[in-house]
Amino acid sequence: MASVHTAITDGVAVLTIVNPPVNALGVAVRSGLVEAVAAAVADSAVRALVLAAEGKVFVAGADISEFGKPPLPPSLPEVVAVIEDCAKPVVAALNGAALGGGLELALACHGRVAAPGAKLGLPEIKLGLIPGAGGTQRLPRIIGAGPAFALMSSGDPVDARKALALGMVDEIAEGDLLAAAIALAVRLAAAGGWTKTRARADKFSPEDRAAFEAAAAAALKRAGRVPNVPALIDAVRACLDQPFTEALAVERARFSALVNDPSARALRHIFFAEREAARIPGIGKEVKARPIAKAAVIGAGTMGGGIAMCFAQAGIPVTLIEVKPEALEVGMARIRANYETSVKRGSLTAEAMAERLSRILPAVGLEAAADADIVVEAVFEDMGVKAEIFGALDRLTKPGTILATNTSYLDVDAIAATTGRPQDVVGLHFFSPANVMRLLEVVRGAQTAPDVLVTAMGLGRTLGKLPVVVGVCYGFVGNRMLAKRTEAAERLLLAGALPHEVDAAVTDFGFRMGPFAMADLAGLDIGWRARKAAGDKAVNAPVADALAEQGRFGQKTGRGFYLYPDGARAGARDPETEALIGALAAARGIARRSFTPDEILARLFYPMVNEGAKILEEGIAARSGDIDIIWVNGYNWPAFTGGPMQWAEEVGLATIVAGLERFAAETGDASLAPCALLRQLAAGAGSFAARDAA
Ligand code: 3HC
């Protein structure tokens, strides 16, 4: 049960927040705090207060699950005001992360002591919000508007040492945190005076304002369509221009408007979906992971090398295996060059590079995988080659070794069947570059053992990834839906849209790149070859095929969907491509017309949503939230729209169904017709979210 416990030591009331797992400030904690402060003020034996919390986290902020629901009093700003106005000094004892509303509570205290491992931050921007309990007003008063804006607009926390340097905390307690906080509270009480944060103005200066305005202008440029950055700027500017109470009202108004904005709804959905993804339906906590102390990666290409780097970074020794010494040398040189770039950029120290390299042991021959606890195969997509490798690994590795494949398209069950231990086989679909991309599709084969799946998920997190369980099908979740977008984009070209119009609609929506600029960057030859190899499973991409057949491979050849004169990185419209598209459409008897950006988005994304719904129907993904985080983390779908399935809910499932029916009728392509699940949810006013929760 959430509560606030009071214990009196040395005339100091220590108020301890107890609300596991992260002491979020739900209604019970808020009212508990107000009551506990009132009781401590009324108690003549108490001269000061300490605000503390139980567990590893101080307070993770407001209770995010209460957002979007009718507010329950007391509000967090009211609690914060009670603390700041307390007739006795209050000192915060920050034992761990003090985030969002948790930091706002602390900023209203009259003193702050942090444990060395504490982290302080206002991450509201990442939830589509701004601080809403005085953070935009009190933090600038404590550290200056420029530094405060930098902290709030990034949303990233600072560690205790940085917080001390900035002036966010008064001291770091190397020993007993509570004792240090109590001692500070006693000193403040003895001095008889303390400053309320709201009354401070000592950090404001023309230089500070200039620093804020410069940071604000830069943030606004980066923000794109996200509405909370302008709101944050308004609140901080109000802090500089207006008296505290009026400026606080600006913050509150902006915060309240944002809480119900679709972007904040979407980011909350992503927040909870990322945590939900860790739960595997049908597998309970009693299933324990297998220990992973040693790994092996087969294939020292770009992918295998990147995967080996992930292990090395996580502190797990890894053997990188190739058939030929030359390939191994090239692979190791690539890894070294990657690290050297990071060292040059300053994101990695030379010592850390040496340490990581020492964890990657190059070896020739599969025998080197014999003592690994997990082997990740990352060779090229050829079933025959993979079958040979898995057969050998089955013979060579010890019992219980997990045999993972990094295949993007091949049937994991067929790969598992080449071994005598299909229960130990799992897919680990990393995204390129593997050492950078956060997404990891963990492919559950028909016979994958529960503890293998649990191990793979835990390992994914150890490697710093966001692992999501998916089932076996062609392309799994991400690439299967991407294929629908590729087909839709090609269909749009033949129907009359031009590459730059499609790409502009997609980047205006929030993607960093449109599908055609992306294809040119990746190289049109790659997709072309893959389509040839895929046979009847190949995506229908007549324009890309025709371009590739002419040797137009994209950026690397200076021409693809666009022109890249003199090695330019941004493509220019190409009349030849546009003429080619016209000719392909004419040959098919398609009368071309123009499309608005909204029409383009509907035609691109509705088929993806339909495929996502089929993926749910087939049980390939357990929840719509899993699909959304796959698209946000692996394919750059803008998080502030929540991923394709959450976006579909905002558009309205009935609208999507009607649109798909229209597209199917117009094109005569029955594969565009809405699937049964989509129809059923739309007809019954159902939602993916409700289905996820069921
Ligand atoms: N509200 C509700 N639930 C929360 C929460 C919050 N603020 N923060 C975490 N949780 C829940 C998670 O959903 C998860 O629940 P589950 O176990 O049922 O899945 C559980 O607490 C544990 O969370 P994590 O898995 O994230 O635990 P970690 O140990 O990995 O991380 C953390 C801890 C760093 C505190 C991380 O949880 C975190 O970053 N939390 C969110 C912080 C945040 O964004 N705060 C701002 C809130 S908005 C706000 O305060 C508005 C104010 O200005 C008015």
Side-chain angles (χ1 to χ4, degrees):
M1 276 295 286
S3 58
V4 177
H5 298 177
T6 301
I8 299 175
T9 311
D10 222 0
V12 175
V14 178
L15 278 48
T16 304
I17 298 171
V18 184
N19 186 19
V22 293
N23 298 322
L25 298 167
V27 63
V29 174
R30 296 199 302 274
S31 51
L33 278 172
V34 171
E35 282 162 25
V37 171
V41 170
D43 187 342
S44 60
V46 169
R47 48 188 170 152
L49 288 74
V50 163
L51 192 57
E54 197 175 85
K56 288 197 186 126
V57 170
F58 173 67
V59 169
D63 185 338
I64 300 169
S65 65
E66 284 183 1
F67 290 158
K69 297 182 186 154
L72 297 166
S75 72
L76 192 54
E78 282 162 0
V79 180
V80 166
V82 162
I83 288 171
E84 188 169 57
D85 292 338
C86 181
K88 298 173 183 177
V90 188
V91 171
L94 308 177
N95 53 314
L99 302 176
L103 181 58
E104 291 174 298
L105 272 187
L107 295 176
C109 290
H110 311 111
R112 284 162 292 280
V113 181
K119 285 202 169 4
L120 287 73
L122 292 170
E124 287 87 343
I125 206 89
K126 296 183 181 178
L127 289 169
L129 302 170
I130 64 170
T136 65
Q137 306 304 309
R138 290 192 181 86
L139 191 60
R141 285 178 159 79
I142 293 174
I143 67 171
F149 182 79
L151 195 133
M152 292 187 283
S153 59
S154 79
D156 294 333
V158 292
D159 61 17
R161 209 139 24 112
K162 180 86 193 286
L164 183 69
L166 284 168
M168 286 167 81
V169 296
D170 300 295
E171 55 184 276
I172 294 177
E174 296 295 343
D176 185 338
L177 172 68
L178 266 189
I182 290 171
L184 176 58
V186 168
R187 287 202 300 279
L188 289 176
W194 52 88
T195 316
K196 289 182 186 176
T197 307
R198 72 164 72 167
R200 287 179 58 174
D202 50 296
K203 289 287 173 180
F204 299 151
S205 66
E207 295 75 33
D208 181 45
R209 176 183 281 272
F212 156 66
E213 291 295 353
L220 209 50
K221 251 195 200 161
R222 284 194 307 270
R225 288 177 38 207
V226 186
N228 60 346
V229 172
L232 180 65
I233 293 171
D234 286 352
V236 177
R237 200 169 279 140
C239 170
L240 293 173
D241 291 341
Q242 298 179 33
F244 179 81
T245 311
E246 281 87 332
L248 193 65
V250 171
E251 175 198 270
R252 196 65 196 159
R254 297 289 183 280
F255 176 87
S256 304
L258 286 168
V259 164
N260 294 313
D261 189 84
S263 61
R265 247 194 321 268
L267 288 161
R268 285 201 287 280
H269 163 73
I270 294 294
F271 178 87
F272 286 116
E274 284 192 359
R275 281 149 184 89
E276 195 61 31
R279 285 185 264 270
I280 314 168
I283 298 186
K285 285 212 164 77
E286 70 286 355
V287 181
K288 299 291 173 230
R290 298 183 188 176
I292 302 287
K294 259 186 169 180
V297 173
I298 317 283
T302 313
M303 206 63 197
I307 297 171
M309 288 169 81
C310 295
F311 280 104
Q313 182 170 349
I316 302 173
V318 54
T319 308
L320 184 61
I321 299 172
E322 263 294 347
V323 203
K324 294 201 179 115
E326 307 82 64
L328 199 54
E329 257 164 50
V330 172
M332 285 304 291
R334 192 184 298 115
I335 291 175
R336 189 180 297 274
N338 275 336
Y339 283 141
E340 275 165 358
T341 308
S342 304
V343 171
K344 256 187 226 140
R345 278 205 205 115
S347 58
L348 191 74
T349 63
E351 297 78 57
M353 163 171 160
E355 206 180 312
R356 288 187 196 177
L357 276 172
S358 74
R359 292 199 191 103
I360 305 177
L361 184 73
V364 173
L366 291 180
E367 294 75 16
D371 64 344
D373 300 307
I374 185 164
V375 184
V376 185
E377 165 276 313
V379 305
F380 52 93
E381 293 281 75
D382 181 304
M383 191 62 200
V385 176
K386 298 213 189 223
E388 214 170 284
I389 289 175
F390 275 78
L393 289 174
D394 189 19
R395 284 192 307 279
L396 291 168
T397 57
K398 59 187 181 187
T401 294
I402 295 178
L403 305 180
T405 170
N406 177 54
T407 183
S408 307
Y409 287 99
L410 296 178
D411 182 343
V412 173
D413 289 331
I415 294 174
T418 65
T419 74
R421 42 170 136 172
Q423 74 280 1
D424 292 340
V425 177
V426 69
L428 287 183
H429 184 211
F430 287 83
F431 288 71
S432 188
N435 55 317
V436 175
M437 295 293 286
R438 195 168 166 236
L439 177 63
L440 177 67
E441 284 183 328
V442 175
V443 190
R444 180 185 201 166
Q447 298 196 53
T448 305
D451 67 337
V452 169
L453 206 56
V454 167
T455 310
M457 293 294 282
L459 174 68
R461 283 187 290 273
T462 305
L463 299 185
K465 304 295 173 200
L466 177 66
V468 186
V469 176
V470 301
V472 176
C473 66
Y474 190 73
F476 312 124
V477 171
N479 284 343
R480 178 168 158 181
M481 288 170 69
L482 180 64
K484 294 296 157 190
R485 193 184 76 173
T486 304
E487 277 181 353
E490 288 261 344
R491 207 181 288 119
L492 266 164
L493 294 185
L494 295 181
L498 291 169
H500 69 280
E501 292 168 341
V502 175
D503 281 352
V506 170
T507 50
D508 285 350
F509 180 76
F511 279 85
R512 267 195 301 277
M513 264 187 152
F516 297 119
M518 188 72 222
D520 272 0
L521 180 66
L524 297 187
D525 51 329
I526 310 268
W528 182 45
R529 275 199 210 103
R531 285 190 292 278
K532 279 190 187 165
D536 60 352
K537 286 186 173 137
V539 167
N540 188 22
V543 181
D545 284 344
L547 289 171
E549 268 150 32
Q550 295 179 4
R552 303 173 64 119
F553 292 161
Q555 279 199 26
K556 61 178 133 184
T557 55
R559 43 183 49 201
F561 282 102
Y562 300 104
L563 275 180
Y564 302 86
D566 307 321
R569 303 205 40 198
R573 283 178 64 175
D574 183 351
E576 280 183 26
T577 300
E578 293 177 11
L580 173 79
I581 295 168
L584 288 169
R588 287 164 172 73
I590 300 171
R592 303 182 79 231
R593 68 162 175 101
S594 63
F595 291 89
T596 66
D598 281 345
E599 283 177 315
I600 289 174
L601 293 182
R603 277 160 200 266
L604 280 181
F605 296 161
Y606 290 9
M608 293 175 66
V609 172
N610 199 22
E611 199 63 19
K614 287 181 195 168
I615 282 169
L616 289 174
E617 257 175 357
E618 294 167 23
I620 298 293
R623 296 157 288 237
S624 70
D626 290 355
I627 298 177
D628 285 334
I629 59 174
I630 284 173
W631 265 82
V632 166
N633 290 283
Y635 299 82
N636 187 233
W637 185 290
F640 69 90
T641 70
M645 309 311 272
Q646 165 75 13
W647 173 80
E649 309 248 51
E650 291 284 346
V651 170
L653 298 187
T655 305
I656 306 254
V657 165
L660 286 166
E661 276 168 350
R662 202 172 63 248
F663 304 156
E666 272 174 20
T667 57
D669 182 346
S671 76
L672 285 171
C675 71
L677 175 64
L678 206 48
R679 279 184 204 282
Q680 177 203 326
L681 291 179
S687 71
F688 292 126
R691 187 181 181 276
D692 285 355

